[in-house]
Amino acid sequence: KFNQVDIMALNASLQIRNVLKSSANKSILEIGAGSGTTPYWCNRLGLGPIQIVDLPHVAVLQAFYLLKVLPDAIVFAAASR
């Protein structure tokens, strides 16, 4: 079942894939990734590695979400002072 956030994230991921189609390097840096649905869809589309930069408390939630939906992916959250 898809909701509006999933549709918007999938659309963004398809656009990113289109931009990167001629590039050998498919790595992505997302600043302010919200819930993490766009990185999820980028991963599902074969893009990556993906690095997310966000506020520490949001990064923890993103890591939790991504660990749940991508159990085989390497996910970690790091905070700095």
Side-chain angles (χ1 to χ4, degrees):
K1 186 173 180 179
F2 291 97
N3 61 38
Q4 183 177 357
V5 172
D6 288 313
I7 300 297
M8 290 172 25
L10 179 56
N11 181 52
S13 301
L14 290 168
Q15 290 181 31
I16 292 167
R17 183 178 70 174
N18 190 40
V19 168
L20 295 177
K21 69 181 172 190
S22 62
S23 175
N25 183 359
K26 307 289 188 208
S27 63
I28 298 168
L29 169 65
E30 184 169 2
I31 301 171
S35 64
T37 52
T38 299
Y40 165 77
W41 284 109
C42 285
N43 180 278
R44 293 288 305 266
L45 293 172
L47 303 172
I50 304 164
Q51 184 172 7
I52 301 170
V53 176
D54 216 320
L55 299 170
H57 62 284
V58 178
V60 170
L61 295 173
Q62 292 160 345
F64 177 77
Y65 168 76
L66 292 169
L67 284 167
K68 292 301 236 181
V69 297
L70 299 171
D72 296 330
I74 298 171
V75 177
F76 65 92
S80 63
R81 295 188 217 194

